[in-house]
Amino acid sequence: HVQLVESGGGSVQVGGSLRLSCVASVDTIGRYCMGWFRQIPDKEREGIAGIESDGSTSYADPVKGRFTVSQDNAKSTFYLQMNSLTPEDTAMYYCAVDPFDSRCGGGWSRSIRYNYWGLGTQVTVS
């Protein structure tokens, strides 16, 4: 069982930046398909960024060019750098991981793809 804890959310002005962190409860995490999702009330959870063990990344169109996902395998930590934030980025942000597969197989944005989820961190842009 892997526990994930997100942090780094908060309130920021339009055009500002935040960096979210997601720490996994393992010493090192060498194999994974990992994703960042966000959700607003009454809407489905939306996959916005994914990263695989080899460092390959994927992004949803609304965040391309503004968000960057990265990892520190030795620290079992994933990051989401968010720049040029807009009010439309306001949401609860979640990280998720499948530690049993080194590739996402094209399904990085599908929530059903993942085994473990964090509890989320709120991001508010105004």
Side-chain angles (χ1 to χ4, degrees), residues 22-98:
C22 171
V23 180
S25 62
V26 292
D27 290 338
T28 60
I29 184 165
R31 180 174 68 176
Y32 53 82
C33 164
M34 184 273 173
W36 283 98
F37 289 73
R38 65 186 182 187
Q39 189 171 24
I40 59 175
D42 299 324
K43 295 288 187 181
E44 289 190 4
R45 198 165 290 189
E46 172 191 26
I48 56 171
I51 188 166
E52 298 170 302
S53 301
D54 66 355
S56 300
T57 57
S58 301
Y59 299 93
D61 286 343
V63 307
K64 275 181 184 176
R66 300 188 299 124
F67 291 12
T68 303
V69 59
S70 61
Q71 83 282 25
D72 184 333
N73 293 339
K75 295 181 180 179
S76 301
T77 302
F78 302 93
Y79 303 98
L80 184 68
Q81 178 67 43
M82 306 187 296
N83 299 326
S84 302
L85 287 162
T86 74
E88 288 70 36
D89 296 314
T90 295
M92 184 71 80
Y93 283 71
Y94 300 89
C95 62
V97 71
D98 172 3

